[in-house]
Amino acid sequence: MTQPQELLSLQSVSKSYGPVPVLHGIDLSIQDGEFLTVLGPSGSGKTTVLRLIGGLETATSGSIRLDGRDISRMPINKRPFNTVFQDYALFPHMTVAANVGYGLSIRRKPRADIKRRVGEALDLVQLGRFADRYPAQLSGGQRQRVALARALICEPRLILLDEPLAALDLELRRQMQEFLKSIQREVKTTFLFVTHDQEEAIGMADRICVMESGRIRQLGTPHELYYRPNCEFVARFFGDNNLVAGTLSVVDGNLRSIDTALGRLVCSIEGQPDLRSAAEGTAAFAVFRPEALHTATGDSNRFSGTVSELAFAGSSTVAHITVGKERLRLRLPSRAEGSPLQQGETFDLSFSPHESHLVLS
């Protein structure tokens, strides 16, 4: 298999506004042709990363390199990137076709060439018949596709997307997630997508970069972050993991015990050398997903819990389980005849050591 080529890298990039630091020595490599999502809560620094790459801000220290060349001080109009904003930033007095072709017009491309490429770009985003309409005559999803066509038409090396779906309703947002990913695969352009929405990140990204307080906490595939968060912050922010606090106990092969309020639990430490070498008594969390918790009893990690709340979520039902002072989540497939559990019911629970892991506190 051909190794992906690096397109862009941030090397020890920091950013401060006066005395206030917002990024702390960021190192990030973006591969040519990938869909990379930068995910984090408000104030995590994710939009600052996008603005630094796009040239809307200048780093306080560190460098941004395109194909190995430092572009940290390169003007916006010289960078081979385009940005799709949350508010679309379309010209209201211009037709759809004029908006899409604007970048080519200011580059003084021949009119025939502009007309042809505008037609191709609008066909790509399935808006060919809307060329003569104005932005106010379009839906939010259609305006978003116009903004995407305008970004694509100049054939940039990288497209920066700054929470472009935040203003759309839920169903349209899901449709646009699928649409953006399909377009990215077709045109093979590198996308850097900024969002605070975990579902968007999981649904579209090849890799996800999770940020908190101006630092990268974890970088990996959606599957890696979903099942193997590497720290407490990622485990709590990314998805709805159960976390049970305790202190580390014995190591047994690729398993390690943790003493908790639920008793001694056994979790996987495969691929986690820091958990293998950490001293007994070190504070840590057992992490396991709601779907890993089972009502059937097992040989390991067994305890009793009481249903305190049931929440129907369409294809699944989430039960909130009270175990002493701990509050856990159990997810079960929904049934037409209703939930197999009843509020107030007490029953045995267990989870497999191989469907769980540990993170340091």
Side-chain angles (χ1 to χ4, degrees):
M1 181 181 289
T2 303
Q3 285 291 105
Q5 297 294 311
E6 181 181 86
L7 172 70
L8 188 84
S9 66
L10 281 68
Q11 299 179 1
S12 302
V13 169
S14 296
K15 176 64 179 177
S16 298
Y17 295 103
V20 181
V22 293
L23 291 181
H24 305 270
I26 294 292
D27 290 306
L28 178 63
S29 176
I30 302 171
Q31 306 303 312
D32 193 19
E34 81 169 324
F35 197 124
L36 177 69
T37 294
V38 181
L39 172 69
S42 296
S44 61
K46 58 188 185 297
T47 297
T48 303
V49 168
L50 180 143
R51 292 176 64 84
L52 289 173
I53 293 172
L56 298 168
E57 303 277 359
T58 302
T60 304
S61 62
S63 65
I64 300 172
R65 295 180 176 275
L66 175 66
D67 297 327
R69 183 167 64 100
D70 192 342
I71 62 165
S72 304
R73 306 293 170 178
M74 182 181 287
I76 297 175
N77 63 336
K78 298 294 184 182
R79 302 188 186 202
F81 313 144
N82 274 335
T83 304
V84 178
F85 296 100
Q86 182 179 331
D87 62 359
Y88 318 127
L90 300 177
F91 298 112
H93 62 287
M94 290 184 179
T95 65
V96 166
N99 266 284
V100 172
Y102 179 75
L104 298 178
S105 297
I106 62 175
R107 289 171 173 79
R108 301 187 181 279
K109 298 293 183 181
R111 287 186 180 181
D113 187 35
I114 294 174
K115 183 177 180 180
R116 175 183 59 80
R117 290 171 63 178
V118 166
E120 291 172 351
L122 287 176
D123 286 343
L124 181 66
V125 299
Q126 302 170 14
L127 288 177
R129 60 192 180 92
F130 295 90
D132 295 327
R133 296 194 186 182
Y134 289 87
Q137 298 173 306
L138 304 178
S139 69
Q142 289 168 339
R143 289 197 293 273
Q144 192 57 267
R145 283 188 277 163
V146 172
L148 179 61
R150 184 177 61 183
L152 288 167
I153 197 169
C154 294
E155 299 178 340
R157 300 285 306 280
L158 172 66
I159 291 183
L160 306 168
L161 300 107
D162 186 12
E163 304 222 35
L165 310 183
L168 305 180
D169 62 56
L170 179 60
E171 184 55 33
L172 184 54
R173 193 159 66 243
R174 287 174 176 166
Q175 292 174 10
M176 283 299 297
Q177 289 170 20
E178 295 175 3
F179 181 77
L180 279 173
K181 186 59 183 176
S182 66
I183 289 292
Q184 192 267 339
R185 284 176 177 151
E186 184 171 347
V187 299
K188 297 180 174 59
T189 300
T190 308
F191 277 27
L192 178 70
F193 187 98
V194 167
T195 184
H196 64 275
D197 188 301
Q198 296 94 330
E199 183 181 323
E200 282 185 0
I202 292 172
M204 292 188 293
D206 297 318
R207 291 190 303 154
I208 299 170
C209 171
V210 181
M211 294 191 65
E212 182 213 10
S213 301
R215 293 180 171 87
I216 294 174
R217 293 303 185 192
Q218 190 169 358
L219 176 65
T221 67
H223 188 275
E224 289 168 346
L225 270 67
Y226 190 81
Y227 287 107
R228 285 288 183 267
N230 67 355
C231 63
E232 180 187 355
F233 172 79
V234 176
R236 293 192 185 280
F237 181 75
F238 195 86
D240 52 357
N241 288 294
N242 291 306
L243 283 83
V244 180
T247 56
L248 296 178
S249 185
V250 297
V251 177
D252 181 10
N254 282 325
L255 301 176
R256 183 153 197 180
S257 299
I258 178 171
D259 293 323
T260 75
L262 306 186
R264 177 163 287 187
L265 305 177
V266 182
C267 300
S268 171
I269 54 170
E270 187 173 0
Q272 294 180 284
D274 56 332
L275 268 302
R276 183 180 299 281
S277 61
E280 289 192 28
T282 300
F285 292 93
V287 181
F288 52 97
R289 298 204 58 79
E291 57 268 26
L293 193 57
H294 303 289
T295 55
T297 57
D299 295 332
S300 300
N301 303 332
R302 180 176 171 178
F303 45 86
S304 293
T306 301
V307 179
S308 57
E309 185 180 338
L310 288 168
F312 177 67
S315 61
S316 64
T317 296
V318 177
H320 295 267
I321 311 294
T322 300
V323 187
K325 293 184 179 180
E326 296 288 345
R327 188 174 169 88
L328 307 177
R329 286 181 294 273
L330 162 67
R331 183 180 292 115
L332 296 170
S334 294
R335 300 176 181 176
E337 62 269 25
S339 172
L341 304 178
Q342 300 299 319
Q343 194 158 334
E345 179 182 1
T346 298
F347 52 94
D348 287 336
L349 293 156
S350 67
F351 62 90
S352 167
H354 300 287
E355 291 187 281
S356 63
H357 72 291
L358 298 171
V359 297
L360 295 176
S361 178

